[in-house]
Structure formats: structure tokens, C-alpha cells
Amino acid sequence: MDVRRRPPKPSHRNHHLQHHPQRASSAALRRSPSPAPKASDALPLPLYLTNGIFFTLFFSVAYYLLHRWRDKIRNSTPLHVVTLSELAAILSLIASFIYLLGFFGIDFVQSFIARASHDAWDIEDEEENSRFLLDEDRRPRRRPVPCPAALDNSSISAPVSNFMDPPVPLPSQDDEDLVKSVVSGDIPSYSLESRLGDCYRAASVRREAVQRITGRSLTGLPLDGFDYQSILGQCCEMPIGYVQIPVGIAGPLLLNGCEYSVPMATTEGCLVASTNRGCKAIYASGGATSILFRDGMTRAPVVKFPTASRASELFFFLEDPANFDTLAMVFNKSSRFARLQKIQCSLAGRNLYIRFSCGTGDAMGMNMVSKGVQNVLEFLQDEFPDMDVVGISGNFCSDKKPAAVNWIQGRGKSVVCEAMISGEVVEKVLKTSVSALVELNTIKNLTGSAIAGSLGGFNAHAANIVSAIFIATGQDPAQNIESSHCITMMEAINDGKDIHVSVTMPCIEVGTVGGGTQLASQSACLNLLGVKGACRESPAANSRLLANIVAGSVLAGELSLMSAIAAGQLVKSHMKYNRSSRDMSTITS
């Protein structure tokens, strides 16, 4: 896909548009809307000049009054005795203060809001868009030919809508013109939000354009009932709707003496029910105990030097304890919550991988630690001018990938959670025996995972619970990869009558601020757990509690699933709860 410069505009453009009304309407759509009226328009002078006058007046009068009052104090003259000039100065001071309090900074605030709301999804500015067009955008769109299987409806008795029929026009003629312009490539789809200033309308227009371009219906994908403004420049670009995922509740989970109702967003039958049974067994045995023993997010840039010996010089510099305080001061300037904890280096030829670990408060912290790393790299560039920064991430972090460095050293929150389940509860609630559970855990979770060459996967299904809680609470679902690293241990205690169960999870990457946690549904789930937003009294307390709840829920899920397998109930349960009896042949596509 190459980029070609548009040909020069002909001088008879207006005449040309008169003979092509459709192009004229497209050109009109590309014009920027007239600017909205501002409060500063009512001022007789330009806003910056008015602000300057009142700013100067305020400080000049304040200096004059302070000077006069100093003289009165020296001469023992009462302060309440004022001359005409002093009275005028006081009135001027009050007037300028009122103005500055009410109007100073209007232009800045208006420009900031306008930039945030209209330009968040623009990849290029309007001038660049007018000079350059991607070949892909200018090329006429062709509808894909349905595959033979899609055309074969002999096995479906219900009527099926023909996606290749002419699309139904949108209610508004303006929107219809917009859709045609997007389909033809005259208007880039990503620019709709900035052009329209209405996120819902932009999503609606984009959705209709996608249906016409692909020839496929999006019926069943909801559009209404979602605040598209809330994801602008934050969570998702070019939206056309949203996916509905049911949220179930498992619990109460009795953890560290407190009860929690755990929200789980999933489409897998039996998962919530199984976790709920595990919570019941834990509750009946007196609850679980969870301990967070490490907390630090990591980012590892990679830099290159002309020689390996030169790279080793930076290696020794970074790992020298005498230099840590200086580097920490540079790093911590990125945020009031960022606190550099340690730096670990690894050499590969003339490439140096630098793994920074830092505390990030209640945020998951990837952006925070990346900004700190950028500060340190700029600082090091002065001492090592021959250092070439290859990338802000060199995969030594390691983010969203299974890695031994995370499994051994941890990333995010490292948590261990344990519970002692009585033999009576094992038999009556979990429907199995202590000896069967211990044997199954050794043969399946430990030996079986070792034979498979598993990395951090010494468990039954920790990823199930982690993913469900992550989606419900607005975490990054891709970080389920390392967050699900878990080893499940089961040991018989009290002469084999009871069982000690534990899960150790070294890389739970969660936050209670930023990203998807600010969306309404996800925020409600965090509020249900009592960890919504940042903890003002103790920074990082909410995110750490959420990590503990995740570990406690995994413990419940592990206990229940292992019991179902030991008792031979797994297949029976899934046949009962995870099989749809809905007749799909009656569903209209």
C-alpha cells in the first residue's frame, strides 16, 4: 500500500462541482464546520489582550497598596484611613481579581477541550488529509463474493435475510451522504468523530458503511445503549457497536476475614457455578488467607552499542548501587506514584536489555513505567552518546507473552493464597475425598504439566477465572497470559483427614484506575468489590486487594474443578450446564 500525492487542483473547480452535484456534496462534507461561538467573543478586545491588561493591573495595584500600607505602619497611621487614590486602587484590585477568577484561561480551556474531543482519533491533520490519500481509500470498494457454504441454505428452514440486497437508507439524508462518502473512500472512516463531533452518530455511520462494503449484516451486534464518548481516545478506535458478555456472581468469597461477591464475565457454562461451589467450600472451612509478597511492574528497553565492551560499561554503570539513587530520581519524575525499585540487565552481544521494575500505585502501570524508562534513557544518552535505543520494549519485560523471567521473578502483583478444607466439607460439598484430590493434583497439575513442558501452567484452569474477572473489571484481557501463571498445591494434613490447598501466582497484572476500569459497567463491578478507583489513604491498596481477590477466586475455581475431575463429574456437569438446547435453525441471520 503506497502513498500517492493528489494531483494539483484545477482552477475551474467550482464549475466542475456544479456539473457533478454528488462530488459537490462530498466536498461540502469535507469542509470543516463553522467554529462554535465562544464566551470570549463577547469581550471588546481580544482575549489575550484583555487578560494581559487585567493581569498587569492586578499586580501593579497590589504592589502600590502594599507599598502604601508599609509606609502607614512605619508612620503609625491607621490602615483603615484611606485616600481617594488608595480607594480607587482597592476597587481596581477587586475588579481585576474578579475578572481573573472568572475569565482568565478561557481560551486555553476551550482549545484543550476542543482538541481532546475532536482530534483524538485523527491520525493526520486536515491539511495532510487534503494533500495525501491512501490508494486503499481511493480505490473503489468491491463487495466480497459469499462462499458456497454461505449460499447453501437448504438445511435452514427459516427465512434468511439477503445481505446482498440494496442497503436500507439511513433516516437522515446527511448521514446517507456520509455513508456513501465513506464507502467510496472520500472520507476516511477514522475521521468521522472529529468531523461530526458526535461519537454515537460516527459509530452509526461507520457501522452502515461496513455493512455495505462487506455485504454482511451486523444485526445482533448492539449499537444503542452505550456511551461512545467514554471510549474516545482511550479504549477503542473506530467502534461500530459493542459485544454483550453476561456477568455472573460467585461467592461470597471469604478472604482475609472479609466477604466478596466476585463478578465474572464469561460465556462458558459451569465456570461461575464451579467457582461458586469452591467459594462455598472455602467459606464452610473458615475462609482463605491471601498474601501479596511483591508488587512491581516492569519495562525492558533494548539499546545497542558499537561494541560489546562498550555495552558492558553501561551494564556495570546501571547495576552499580552507587548510581541507583540518581537513576531513581530521574525515573520517578514521570509520576507522583512511580517509584523505581530495581534495575536488572542482560547482555546479548553488543545489545543490552535493561529491565526496570517500579511501583505504580493503583494503576496497572505500563504507561507509567514506560514514561519513567524514557526519562532514564534520555539521561543516559548524555553519558553514553554512542548508545542507540533500538526499542522501548525489548521483550525482556515480558508483556503479554509467557516468559520464565516473569514466572521466576514476578511482574505486577505476586500473591500466594491458601485455605485448609476440612474432610467433611470435601465429602459433602465437593463430593470427593482428600486422598483423591491430593493424588490427582500431583499427577495432573504437577507431573502432567511438567511432561507438557508447561511454563507457569501448573494448575487446572486458572486462566478461566482470571479472564472472567479481568473482563468484568476492565483489565487488559491480553495480560491474562502471564497473570494466569499459577502453581496449585494440595497436601493432606491432620493425619490425612483435611487438606491444605494453595495457589501461588507471581504475575497478576491489575489496576483500578485507567483504561477499561473507567467504563460504566466495569466501574460498577469494581465498586461491587470495594476497589473502585484509587485509594487516597493508601496508594496501591485497591489494586493490591483486587489481586488478592483474583488469587482467592482462582483458589476456589481450582478446588471445585479438581474435585469434579476426581469425582468423575466433569463431563456430566458440562453436558448439563454448558450445552445449549436452543434450536439455531429458527434463528434469522
Side-chain angles (χ1 to χ4, degrees):
M1 183 175 64
D2 59 329
V3 179
R4 297 181 181 176
R5 188 179 296 274
R6 272 188 179 176
K9 299 178 183 177
S11 59
H12 55 283
R13 180 174 179 271
N14 293 337
H15 175 75
H16 181 71
L17 291 176
Q18 289 175 0
H19 287 77
H20 298 81
Q22 184 175 1
R23 294 186 185 179
S25 64
S26 298
L29 286 168
R30 288 195 293 269
R31 292 195 207 106
S32 299
S34 58
K38 301 179 179 180
S40 58
D41 295 341
L43 298 175
L45 296 175
L47 183 60
Y48 74 93
L49 188 58
T50 307
N51 284 341
I53 292 173
F54 277 94
F55 192 86
T56 304
L57 178 64
F58 177 81
F59 284 99
S60 299
V61 170
Y63 176 79
Y64 170 75
L65 289 175
L66 289 173
H67 183 74
R68 291 290 300 158
W69 288 340
R70 184 190 63 180
D71 292 343
K72 287 185 177 183
I73 292 172
R74 288 178 177 178
N75 299 329
S76 299
T77 303
L79 295 179
H80 65 274
V81 177
V82 294
T83 63
L84 186 60
S85 61
E86 291 173 346
L87 181 61
I90 293 173
L91 293 176
S92 300
L93 182 69
I94 295 174
S96 59
F97 176 76
I98 292 174
Y99 171 82
L100 293 176
L101 183 65
F103 294 97
F104 185 72
I106 287 178
D107 230 13
F108 170 75
V109 173
Q110 286 177 336
S111 64
F112 179 80
I113 294 175
R115 183 165 63 250
S117 61
H118 296 302
D119 297 339
W121 286 347
D122 278 351
I123 299 175
E124 300 174 340
D125 59 23
E126 291 297 329
E127 182 178 355
E128 288 298 315
N129 282 337
S130 66
R131 294 172 53 209
F132 294 96
L133 278 181
L134 296 178
D135 263 4
E136 184 176 288
D137 292 334
R138 294 184 60 84
R139 191 179 300 121
R141 306 295 182 101
R142 294 182 299 173
R143 290 180 178 174
V145 179
C147 63
L151 297 175
D152 184 12
N153 298 323
S154 58
S155 62
I156 302 178
S157 58
V160 178
S161 61
N162 188 353
F163 297 159
M164 305 306 291
D165 289 341
V168 179
L170 294 175
S172 168
Q173 185 60 40
D174 291 340
D175 286 353
E176 178 67 22
D177 293 340
L178 279 171
V179 171
K180 291 179 180 178
S181 297
V182 173
V183 171
S184 65
D186 291 336
I187 296 181
S189 177
Y190 63 78
S191 69
L192 287 173
E193 280 73 15
S194 61
R195 286 175 177 270
L196 301 178
D198 184 340
C199 293
Y200 173 82
R201 185 182 173 202
S204 178
V205 170
R206 182 182 297 110
R207 176 191 180 98
E208 181 63 24
V210 168
Q211 291 185 111
R212 298 187 187 185
I213 291 171
T214 62
R216 301 287 182 179
S217 173
L218 287 172
T219 301
L221 181 69
L223 175 68
D224 296 329
F226 189 83
D227 181 11
Y228 293 94
Q229 184 69 35
S230 66
I231 64 173
L232 179 62
Q234 176 176 317
C235 294
C236 179
E237 299 77 36
M238 296 189 287
I240 59 172
Y242 59 97
V243 174
Q244 296 171 310
I245 301 179
V247 178
I249 288 294
L253 172 66
L254 184 56
L255 183 68
N256 294 337
C258 299
E259 297 182 8
Y260 301 97
S261 295
V262 183
M264 302 175 67
T266 181
T267 55
E268 180 181 350
C270 286
L271 178 59
V272 178
S274 178
T275 307
N276 188 68
R277 183 174 75 150
C279 291
K280 180 180 179 181
I282 293 173
Y283 196 102
S285 298
T289 302
S290 183
I291 301 170
L292 187 143
F293 58 91
R294 185 169 47 223
D295 184 5
M297 181 50 64
T298 62
R299 172 62 85 195
V302 55
V303 298
K304 178 184 286 188
F305 285 88
T307 62
S309 61
R310 183 63 174 155
S312 66
E313 292 181 22
L314 179 57
F315 177 98
F316 294 125
F317 177 85
L318 291 173
E319 296 210 336
D320 186 352
N323 298 323
F324 181 82
D325 289 342
T326 301
L327 296 173
M329 183 178 65
V330 174
F331 185 97
N332 296 345
K333 290 191 301 183
S334 62
S335 169
R336 60 194 178 103
F337 295 108
R339 293 295 178 268
L340 183 63
Q341 297 170 346
K342 64 177 181 178
I343 301 175
Q344 178 187 3
C345 300
S346 182
L347 270 171
R350 58 195 184 108
N351 301 315
L352 179 64
Y353 298 82
I354 314 166
R355 193 173 194 253
F356 294 82
S357 178
C358 82
T360 57
D362 281 309
M364 183 272 290
M366 282 302 303
N367 292 334
M368 190 184 302
V369 67
S370 296
K371 287 190 293 184
V373 167
Q374 188 67 45
N375 289 345
V376 174
L377 291 177
E378 292 173 0
F379 172 80
L380 293 174
Q381 201 82 56
D382 296 333
E383 296 291 331
F384 298 86
D386 54 343
M387 179 182 74
D388 178 25
V389 179
V390 179
I392 190 69
S393 175
N395 274 7
F396 188 38
C397 311
S398 173
D399 187 39
K400 301 174 184 175
K401 293 168 282 291
V405 67
N406 291 339
W407 175 237
I408 297 170
Q409 298 186 11
R411 187 171 193 259
K413 275 72 174 170
S414 299
V415 182
V416 59
C417 186
E418 64 178 351
M420 285 172 279
I421 311 299
S422 67
E424 182 182 6
V425 171
V426 171
E427 294 177 0
K428 293 185 176 180
V429 178
L430 301 176
K431 311 299 182 182
T432 185
S433 65
V434 170
S435 59
L437 275 176
V438 172
E439 181 184 26
L440 177 64
N441 185 74
T442 301
I443 296 176
K444 170 183 166 62
N445 287 344
L446 304 183
T447 308
S449 296
I451 291 175
S454 178
L455 180 61
F458 297 89
N459 58 81
H461 70 148
N464 257 337
I465 292 89
V466 172
S467 294
I469 298 177
F470 270 31
I471 295 172
T473 58
Q475 311 304 314
D476 189 339
Q479 289 185 322
N480 166 68
I481 294 175
E482 60 266 42
S483 296
S484 296
H485 283 355
C486 171
I487 181 168
T488 301
M489 304 290 292
M490 295 186 180
E491 302 174 63
I493 57 175
N494 298 332
D495 298 326
K497 297 178 181 178
D498 306 322
I499 186 171
H500 178 276
V501 186
S502 68
V503 293
T504 305
M505 307 179 69
C507 336
I508 302 179
E509 299 170 359
V510 293
T512 57
V513 296
T517 66
Q518 300 180 67
L519 299 179
S521 301
Q522 289 81 346
S523 180
C525 290
L526 288 171
N527 188 57
L528 177 65
L529 294 171
V531 295
K532 177 181 176 181
C535 180
R536 296 183 179 180
E537 294 78 15
S538 178
N542 281 354
S543 60
R544 290 174 177 177
L545 176 55
L546 179 58
N548 282 322
I549 293 173
V550 170
S553 303
V554 169
L555 179 68
E558 290 287 284
L559 189 59
S560 183
L561 177 60
M562 291 293 288
S563 299
I565 296 175
Q569 298 174 342
L570 180 64
V571 176
K572 180 180 177 181
S573 298
H574 275 266
M575 290 297 102
K576 181 178 180 181
Y577 296 106
N578 201 20
R579 302 285 291 180
S580 174
S581 59
R582 194 177 183 185
D583 185 2
M584 298 306 294
S585 66
T586 63
I587 307 300
T588 302
S589 301

